Amino acid sequence: MERLDRLEAVQSMLLEIGRTSTSCSDIAEFVRAVHRALGRIMYAANFYVALSDREEGTVRFVYFVDEADEGPALNQPVRLASPDESPTAWVILNGQNLTMTAADFHARRDGGSFGAGSAAEHWIGCPLLDQQHVPLGAIVIQSYTPEHTYSSEDQALFAVIANHVSVALQSLQSMDRLERAVQERTARLAHEVAERRRAEQVQHALYQIADLSAGAHDTNVLMTSLHRIIGGLMVAENFMIGLFHPKTQDISIPYFVNQKQAAPPERRFPYDGKGMFSYLLTSKQPQLHDAGSLARLLSSGQVAEIPGSAGIASWMGAPMLVHDKPYGVLIVQSYDPATIYTKADLDLLAFIASHVAVAIARMEADRSMRRTKELLEEQNAALNSALTQLQQAQGELVRQEKLASLGELVAGVAHEINTPLGICVTATSHLVEELRLTREELAAGAMTEDSLNSFFEIVDQSLRIMTTNTQRAAALVRSFKQVAVDQSSGDIRSFNLRAYINEVLLSLQPKLKGRPIKVEVDCPPDLVMESFPGAVSQIVTNMVVNSLVHGFERDQPGHIAIRATLEGGTVAFSYTDDGAGMDKESLDKLFDPFFTTKRGSGGSGLGAHILFNLVTGALGGSVQVDSAPGQGLRYALSFPRSVRGEKLAA
């Protein structure tokens, strides 16, 4: 009856193991329940479970209860010993049961080190095997007293229990791995969200800075707003701005906010390299300092004074540069030891400083353009006055010479005034167009120093031309002719087709990055066109983008081939991809406006339509297309190498 009761207890334990494994998600909690149940059928005062990671060569103890030893830290990976060093390692690496007595322990330890804990009177270890009989770990029970030893029946029962625990642990480990994966993924997503939110904040700050450069004409408003913008990105309670003036070679401080120091009475300093502002501009590098490094700068004589340096815990500054041209510096400092700036903060300040420099350059350019506009308006007023005088003179001449000489007078005046006024109108039209283009370039953020200097040279030349010719036209009658505008020469230039295609493809690298798409260009290196490069750029861009959107899936490898040859005066241009291709019905509608096979997935239906209009319109050529499902898409274009002759003939 005692044996029957024990078998019933064992059966009850196995059922409990099964139920616990389905209701419990924590491995340690499950093993604890197994330990409690095991104690009801045999001596289990000393019990532990170790799980191994064969690839990493480690083992971690998920549960450890022992009367004699404190045991290892739970769930901390430790090196998996060799079978000769540890009975637990022997069970895991051999995948077999192991039973040892005190005599066995002493015999092993006489020959060397075996096991890290106290020698047990009786020790039983069973491997935990998965379905492929690969060891997951080991389950161990032991006794330190001769009163508690394990019979052969105990050993057999423990092996059966180990098998059931193995099955349960496989399920729990899968759940545990899934939970860890979810936690890791959640942490990564949280980090990504934080990074995106940070990027959005920076982007919003850049938009605000750009708006300031376009609309803020008051210096105090500009500097206060800039402080507020930077304060939204980092702790910036102590903030200073220094501006460099190249004509006078000095530095002004239009904005100074410091918790422990009032603004200096003298806000203009010579650019001598001894002040901190001069030091930053001279180095042309953002710098991060603590109290110690600031003190070393002062003691070494590299700088003579640091504004608000007493008690500074952290300091950083960044020069405002545009193409190495200095515009000023931004400085942020902290007196609070809890606010210590990092390299990431310094990089952000340097990034903001570069955009502030661009904004200042734009403001200066805008002021210069306003002055130029005022000068143009004065010249236009003078021209209008001259024209009014000419009209009055014409009326007087008409009255004196009577109606009989009117035709001759008008013809003579038209002949005489045609050249000077034509030059004036042409110069004015050219200047207005240049002003419009410059404004658009400024608004687009593409203004450079070279383009601004080029604009000033055009203004200067145009004003000299208008001044000379308005003086010649002051005594003449207003012309009845108008100057025709040569529309063919504005956007045409010579360019190397192969180099230009490569430049376009380089600009498309952000779209090609991460896509297994290979782009091949085969074009003679000496093929020079005299045409519209903007049209060629738009055509190539639309072709590549259409292939990426419609021809290839995101991770699908593919090949794009662009080839061009010169046949007489005609360029034969072909574009081929090996993507999904199109059926005949879709191919017939390819150039129709707003037709797309990716409605709602990034396709507007205008890419091929614009391509067709550019080839047949601006380039004066023709286009053919060929495709079939699964056989990619091929464009065959033909257009003149030079459009100058065609435009002049038209």
Side-chain angles (χ1 to χ4, degrees), residues 155-174:
Q155 297 176 34
L157 287 175
F158 192 64
V160 171
I161 292 169
N163 289 335
H164 283 73
V165 171
S166 298
V167 173
L169 280 178
Q170 290 180 65
S171 175
L172 288 172
Q173 277 193 314
S174 298

Side-chain angles (χ1 to χ4, degrees), residues 501 520-523 559-565 572-576:
I501 292 174
E520 172 191 0
V521 178
D522 182 10
C523 178
H559 180 264
I560 293 174
I562 300 174
R563 293 183 172 84
T565 58
F573 185 100
S574 71
Y575 175 96
T576 306

Side-chain angles (χ1 to χ4, degrees), residues 338-360:
T339 302
I340 302 298
Y341 299 116
T342 64
K343 179 63 166 55
D345 294 324
L346 182 64
D347 292 340
L348 178 58
L349 183 65
F351 183 67
I352 294 296
S354 66
H355 283 76
V356 174
V358 172
I360 293 174

